[in-house]
């Protein structure tokens, strides 16, 4: 089984790559990780046997490089999404697949235009928060640190229509302060602003992820210890007196 990690040299601001390392180590030899650099031809361009395509958080300048690296493969990416290929985008990776990013001077950075979304930057006001919400019937905990917020463009002319929410926020914002919808999902394309080693902190979600990519009998590494930490964090994040933004 293969997992392709896109641009690990610049898309790993919050230890995002540990998501894939955790899956690899949990699978005990069943997963081969392909690291695709900015100057490489992506494996997904020629291969149909990749179980998961992953990309993590990058800087604002990094986003420009990622957009240009992926632009030649826009129609290939659209075809893979239609066919049910599994994707996971964490942090600001999701913004690359929307219509544009609006900078502080109101100028626009044109993105891939696959989904009817756009992001708005506010570099003077970083949004940092804890987060708790749900994926179906599973509690999910996480962290956010971002200069951008994402919005849906109901009049957008894109490859795909408005996607469904991935998570539902209980405490903390969704993809913008006006919604409880956190992240989005289109078929097997999943995107979330939640950062860092999301799977390590969410063993129940890791179980779902392993099943999703075709390893239903695989147990997350150190699952007992991870569950203890996860359950403690769920309780703490629900404490009414706990501050959530910082």
């Amino acid at each position: 089984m293969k997992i392709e990690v896109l641009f690990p040299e610049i898309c790993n601001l919050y230890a995002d790559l540990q998501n894939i390392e955790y899956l690899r180590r949990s699978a005990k030899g069943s997963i081969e990780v392909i690291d695709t650099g900015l100057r490489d031809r992506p494996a997904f361009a020629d291969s149909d046997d990749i179980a998961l395509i992953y990309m993590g958080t990058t800087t604002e300048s990094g986003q420009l490089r990622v957009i240009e690296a992926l632009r030649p493969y826009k129609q290939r990416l659209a075809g893979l999404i239609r066919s049910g290929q599994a994707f996971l985008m964490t942090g600001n990776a999701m913004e690359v697949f929307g219509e544009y990013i609006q900078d502080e001077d109101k100028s626009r950075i044109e993105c891939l235009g696959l989904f009817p979304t756009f992001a708005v930057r506010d570099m003077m006001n970083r949004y940092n928060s804890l987060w708790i919400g749900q994926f179906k019937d599973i509690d999910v905990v996480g962290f956010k640190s971002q200069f951008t917020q994402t919005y849906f463009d109901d009049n957008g002319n894109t490859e795909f229509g408005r996607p469904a929410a991935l998570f539902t926020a209980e405490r903390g914002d969704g993809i913008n302060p006006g919604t409880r919808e956190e992240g989005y999902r289109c078929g097997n394309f999943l995107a979330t602003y939640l950062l860092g080693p999301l799977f390590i902190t969410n063993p129940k979600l890791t179980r779902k992820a392993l099943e999703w990519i075709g390893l239903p009998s695989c147990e997350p590494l150190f699952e007992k210890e991870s569950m203890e930490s996860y359950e403690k964090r769920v309780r703490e994040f629900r404490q009414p007196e706990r501050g959530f933004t910082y």
Side-chain angles (χ1 to χ4, degrees), residues 180-231:
R180 294 179 63 211
E181 296 179 71
E182 207 301 306
Y184 59 81
R185 176 175 189 164
C186 178
N188 281 322
F189 185 101
L190 312 185
T192 175
Y193 267 132
L194 298 184
L195 301 169
L198 184 63
F199 290 147
I200 295 174
T201 55
N202 290 277
K204 291 183 179 180
L205 191 65
T206 305
R207 282 247 179 203
K208 290 290 186 182
L210 288 165
E211 180 180 341
W212 176 48
I213 65 173
L215 295 170
S217 61
C218 185
E219 296 182 359
L221 192 68
F222 304 121
E223 186 174 27
K224 178 179 179 294
E225 293 82 0
S226 183
M227 276 296 297
E228 290 173 355
S229 177
Y230 160 79
E231 290 170 350

Side-chain angles (χ1 to χ4, degrees), residues 1-5 20-21 24 31-35:
M1 174 176 294
K2 299 175 184 177
I3 294 178
E4 182 170 17
V5 176
I20 303 308
E21 178 64 11
R24 187 190 69 79
I31 290 175
E32 173 191 350
V33 177
I34 302 170
D35 289 329

